[in-house]
Amino acid sequence: MHSTLIIYSSTDGHTETICKRISNFLDNKNEIKIIALDDATKLDLSIFNKIIIGASIRYGKHSKKLYKFITLNKKVLDQKQSIFFSVNVVARKSEKNTPETNPYIKKFLKISNWRPKKIGVFAGKVDYPNYGLIDKYVIKFIMFLTRGPTDTSRSFEFTDWEKVDNFAKQLKLSS
């Protein structure tokens, strides 16, 4: 039996990277399973003690698959030590980098009707060189509107890794 399941819903892989970083701080490394959301739909969640879900934002929304997964598994999630965090570039702004102030967390909680035991939000990454043509220029336009970086020749990582580490340490203490 795995004691901790970490599920990621990631568009470009950064949320998966954050999930792996969080797992480094948890006890019983051999009892941690990290899995993509699509693969998590095939698991019996009841065998896990702790379930952590990390999800990215693309074009202002969490994945529809994420909401469907939560709806289908809400009963089990409510019975477990469940944790949720969102990864979004809006969280690069100090006034929007907490669960209480991040618009995507607020929207997520309202739509999902799920109340995880712990919630986090982390600034993500804009990875222009690895985007397709349409994503590159749509995201560049969004960054222009929100006064973010628009140099498409570079990647911009906004993640505060110390914040991620502190979140993970809190999860370890709450075991």
Side-chain angles (χ1 to χ4, degrees):
M1 176 167 142
H2 292 283
S3 63
T4 302
L5 175 64
I6 303 176
I7 302 168
Y8 60 89
S9 173
S10 187
T11 306
D12 300 310
H14 195 65
T15 302
E16 179 183 4
T17 301
I18 291 172
C19 287
K20 289 177 180 175
R21 176 81 169 239
I22 288 171
S23 76
N24 290 331
F25 288 87
L26 304 177
D27 289 329
N28 302 323
K29 303 275 186 284
N30 59 339
E31 293 182 13
I32 298 171
K33 185 173 188 72
I34 302 174
I35 192 164
L37 179 64
D38 287 342
D39 296 326
T41 61
K42 303 167 192 148
L43 291 178
D44 176 4
L45 300 185
S46 68
I47 67 170
F48 297 93
N49 298 327
K50 184 183 294 186
I51 300 171
I52 303 168
I53 301 175
S56 65
I57 289 289
R58 179 55 63 98
Y59 301 135
K61 297 180 180 177
H62 287 102
S63 160
K64 288 180 182 177
K65 290 180 181 180
L66 174 68
Y67 289 109
K68 183 177 180 182
F69 178 83
I70 290 168
T71 299
L72 292 172
N73 294 286
K74 188 175 179 307
K75 185 176 180 180
V76 175
L77 290 169
D78 287 343
Q79 295 169 350
K80 301 291 179 175
Q81 185 180 4
S82 61
I83 295 101
F84 176 76
F85 67 88
S86 179
V87 179
N88 56 79
V89 177
V90 167
R92 76 187 187 280
K93 298 179 177 186
S94 61
E95 70 275 12
K96 295 181 180 180
N97 72 359
T98 68
E100 298 76 27
T101 61
N102 187 270
Y104 300 121
I105 292 286
K106 291 178 183 181
K107 183 178 174 183
F108 171 81
L109 293 173
K110 184 177 180 181
I111 293 171
S112 72
N113 199 30
W114 173 43
R115 295 299 171 261
K117 309 291 187 273
K118 181 152 183 64
I119 302 170
V121 61
F122 307 116
K125 179 179 179 179
V126 174
D127 196 9
Y128 288 117
N130 289 309
Y131 295 152
L133 188 66
I134 294 172
D135 282 338
K136 183 179 292 191
Y137 288 100
V138 170
I139 292 170
K140 178 180 179 174
F141 180 66
I142 292 167
M143 287 293 101
F144 171 77
L145 293 175
T146 62
R147 294 184 175 90
T150 57
D151 179 355
T152 59
S153 69
R154 300 183 44 211
S155 293
F156 299 89
E157 186 175 320
F158 301 103
T159 309
D160 178 345
W161 290 105
E162 185 176 341
K163 183 178 179 182
V164 172
D165 295 350
N166 287 334
F167 182 81
K169 289 173 187 172
Q170 290 173 11
L171 297 181
K172 182 179 178 178
L173 294 173
S174 66
S175 293

